[in-house]
């Protein structure tokens, strides 16, 4: 296990950063390219270990992946049963999307991952896929990995999501592409729309009734050249850091700010943050985000906005620790089944660096203070977002923060340290 010590920033965070490609879009670009008959080019793919694992996985299923400068060329369309167990590493998105994706393959796939993956609930994807006719087994009555998928021709399904989850929606829609008729997913709360948008880009007929029902029709995925924009979840760490570190003025370039992905910016604005979108491209919903030092006040975060910022709550909790008043995050019990129990992890870690934070069954309460965080020693609990949010806490505090389990950051942001130095170099 590696440790990393973050020292308080000596001056403001300044300049321009480019975060890794959006992780959600990266997984989907690989899976769709591997379904398409012909070559797809992907630029800007996330270099995190989660996406590397999905690349290896599609190669095991027969896709030919080659590098061309910093782009990937994926030659797909010839999927076959893998002759090895698929290891998704730490990636919940990877294993859940791939379960739906593999369910249309006439053959056997075995999907597993690391110790964190072994605890992630899979019943939410297995149940609808079984209703479509896929044969899936796994630990604990097919609710935990490893999963064994015996796929084939599936039946179309009309399914209401029991949890607002873009991963479950994505798994069912990906399976729907290979079904014998239309498949509809109904969501009560909107979640990130990448799967349906990207399927439509690949030539699949997709309909949305505007009231939460998304229907895909079976069809052949066409090759596409994908340009993956920057990941808003990674940008969130720098946006929060720039808001909290005095004398900061930072630009995070070319970030995806489309539907249900940039909710953290709305929350920060509500708290009084000086954040703005620069050069927003309305077609791609990609913009530069400019963040400057701000004085923040507490807010309440809950209800329908949660799916659009669930991954950013650790970073927002750090922002809340410096805001006047008590910020409440509610309706976010899903945090308990992420890479770690993020409610417990964040309570323990933020308390260790001097924040006043309490867990709720469905979220967090953070009592802000105008006294900076004190520094200390924390454990990432193997969770990349816990590690990076505590690095932000370290930049804003009065004493170093030592983060044990720092290696988890490679999951989504291998160049985090480099970028941290870059925005502190005068
Ligand atoms: C993701 C969906 C979200 C999110 C995850 C990525 C996706 O998970 O937390 O990091 O790419 O579909 P849930 O679908 O479990 O909410």
């Amino acid at each position: 296990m590696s440790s990393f010590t973050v020292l308080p920033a000596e001056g403001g965070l300044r300049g321009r950063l480019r975060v890794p490609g959006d992780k959600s879009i990266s997984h989907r670009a690989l899976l769709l390219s591997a379904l398409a008959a012909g070559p797809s080019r992907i630029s800007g793919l996330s270099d995190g270990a989660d996406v590397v694992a999905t690349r290896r996985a599609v190669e095991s299923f027969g896709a030919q992946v080659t590098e061309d400068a910093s782009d990937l060329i994926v030659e797909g369309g010839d999927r076959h049963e893998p002759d090895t167990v698929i290891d998704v590493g730490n990636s919940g998105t990877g294993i859940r999307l791939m379960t739906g994706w593999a369910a249309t393959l006439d053959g056997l796939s075995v999907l597993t991952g690391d110790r964190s993956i072994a605890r992630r609930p899979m019943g939410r994807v297995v149940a609808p896929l079984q209703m479509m006719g896929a044969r899936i087994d796994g630990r604990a009555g097919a609710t935990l990995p490893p999963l064994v998928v015996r796929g084939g021709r599936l039946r179309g399904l009309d399914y209401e999501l029991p949890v607002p989850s873009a991963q479950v929606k994505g798994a069912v829609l990906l399976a729907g592409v290979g079904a014998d008729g239309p498949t509809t997913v109904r969501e009560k709360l909107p979640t990130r729309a990448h799967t349906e948008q990207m399927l439509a880009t690949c030539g699949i007929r997709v309909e949305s009734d505007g009231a939460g029902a998304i229907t895909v029709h079976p069809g052949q995925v066409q090759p596409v050249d994908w340009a993956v924009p920057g990941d808003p979840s990674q940008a969130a760490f720098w946006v929060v850091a720039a808001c909290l570190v005095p004398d900061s003025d930072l630009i995070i370039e070319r970030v995806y700010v489309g539907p249900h992905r940039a909710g953290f910016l709305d929350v920060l604005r509500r708290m009084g943050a000086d954040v703005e979108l620069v050069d927003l491209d309305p077609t791609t919903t990609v913009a530069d985000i400019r963040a400057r030092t701000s004085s923040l006040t507490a807010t309440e975060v809950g209800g329908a906005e949660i799916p659009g910022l669930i991954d950013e709550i650790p970073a927002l909790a750090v922002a809340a620790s410096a805001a006047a008043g008590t910020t409440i995050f509610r309706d976010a019990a899903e945090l308990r089944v992420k890479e770690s129990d993020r409610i417990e992890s964040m309570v323990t870690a933020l308390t260790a660096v001097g924040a006043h934070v309490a867990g709720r069954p469905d979220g967090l309460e953070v009592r802000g203070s105008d006294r900076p965080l004190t520094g200390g020693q924390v454990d990432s609990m193997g969770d990349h977002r816990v590690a990076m949010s505590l690095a932000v806490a370290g930049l804003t505090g009065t004493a170093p923060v030592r983060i044990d389990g720092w290696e988890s950051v490679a999951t989504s942001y291998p160049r985090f340290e480099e970028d941290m130095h870059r925005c502190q170099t005068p």
Side-chain angles (χ1 to χ4, degrees), residues 72-141:
L72 283 192
I73 314 287
V74 182
E75 185 83 44
D78 199 13
R79 276 197 310 168
H80 58 65
E81 185 178 79
D83 60 8
T84 184
V85 170
I86 302 297
D87 184 353
V88 301
N90 188 239
S91 181
T93 307
I95 194 168
R96 293 204 181 106
L97 291 180
M98 223 179 297
T99 304
W101 181 87
T104 58
L105 175 75
D106 186 9
L108 184 89
S109 319
V110 182
L111 311 175
T112 192
D114 67 8
R115 280 174 52 207
S116 152
I117 281 294
R119 294 192 306 266
R120 308 284 301 272
M122 292 297 142
R124 53 182 66 190
V125 283
V126 169
L129 295 170
Q130 286 176 334
M131 289 177 207
M132 296 175 82
R135 283 172 292 161
I136 306 179
D137 206 347
R139 280 167 54 234

Side-chain angles (χ1 to χ4, degrees), residues 24 28 93 96 124 164-167 192 310-311 334 338:
S24 294
R28 288 162 173 84
T93 307
R96 293 204 181 106
R124 53 182 66 190
S165 163
Q167 294 173 357
R192 66 193 72 192
I310 188 81
D311 292 341
E334 274 292 302
K338 294 293 180 188

Side-chain angles (χ1 to χ4, degrees), residues 3 159 169 187 206 321 325 331 378:
S3 298
Y159 188 67
K169 172 174 66 173
E187 44 183 12
V206 179
S321 72
D331 308 317
V378 300

Side-chain angles (χ1 to χ4, degrees), residues 52-74:
V52 172
T54 294
R55 173 192 166 168
R56 300 275 173 252
V58 299
E59 288 176 316
S60 299
F61 281 95
Q64 305 288 326
V65 183
T66 50
E67 283 163 33
D68 180 27
S70 54
D71 294 356
L72 283 192
I73 314 287
V74 182

Side-chain angles (χ1 to χ4, degrees), residues 143-407:
T143 61
L144 292 174
L147 294 179
V148 179
V149 182
R150 197 175 277 285
R153 187 105 180 123
L154 302 180
R155 294 184 291 275
L157 178 70
D158 190 325
Y159 188 67
E160 184 165 334
L161 290 182
V163 273
S165 163
Q167 294 173 357
V168 180
K169 172 174 66 173
V172 175
L173 294 180
L174 286 171
V177 172
D180 62 2
T183 295
T184 299
V185 172
R186 297 174 193 276
E187 44 183 12
K188 284 182 228 135
L189 295 181
T191 64
R192 66 193 72 192
H194 305 308
T195 310
E196 52 270 42
Q197 285 171 351
M198 293 173 74
L199 279 170
T201 306
C202 291
I204 296 296
R205 199 170 132 213
V206 179
E207 287 145 11
S208 171
D209 73 351
I214 300 125
T215 301
V216 295
H217 294 261
Q220 172 59 53
V221 169
Q222 300 301 324
V224 167
D225 286 348
W226 302 106
V228 182
D231 194 326
S233 301
Q234 318 301 353
F237 298 111
W238 304 120
V239 173
V240 169
C243 288
L244 300 191
V245 173
D247 201 27
S248 295
D249 184 353
L250 190 62
I251 290 181
I252 302 100
E253 294 177 342
R254 311 324 297 149
V255 180
Y256 182 81
V257 290
H260 321 302
R261 281 298 270 132
F264 74 98
L265 289 175
D266 300 330
V267 169
L268 286 170
R269 279 199 203 95
R270 224 156 64 211
M271 296 173 84
D274 186 352
V275 288
E276 60 176 321
L277 298 184
V278 184
D279 292 337
L280 171 67
D281 177 340
T283 319
T284 56
T285 53
V286 173
D288 291 351
I289 303 174
R290 182 173 187 186
R292 283 177 276 198
T293 309
S294 311
S295 100
L296 302 181
T297 49
T299 189
E300 297 206 2
V301 186
E305 69 183 338
I306 291 296
L309 48 71
I310 188 81
D311 292 341
E312 291 68 71
I313 290 177
L316 289 172
V318 175
S321 72
T326 298
T327 295
I328 299 176
F329 299 92
R330 57 164 63 94
D331 308 317
E334 274 292 302
L335 288 172
R336 295 205 179 271
V337 290
K338 294 293 180 188
E339 285 82 329
S340 69
D341 175 340
R342 283 195 179 143
I343 294 175
E344 287 303 316
S345 303
M346 289 305 294
V347 168
T348 308
L350 279 175
T351 303
V353 296
H356 305 282
V357 51
R360 303 166 41 101
D362 66 343
L364 293 166
E365 282 187 26
V366 185
R367 182 156 57 82
S369 163
D370 52 10
R371 289 225 310 276
L373 297 174
T374 50
Q377 184 174 345
V378 300
D379 190 328
S380 75
M381 305 304 289
D383 186 330
H384 56 134
R385 299 204 196 282
V386 173
M388 291 185 278
S389 52
L390 268 295
V392 172
L395 286 172
T396 69
T398 54
V401 172
R402 176 180 144 169
I403 303 155
D404 294 334
W406 180 251
E407 68 283 351

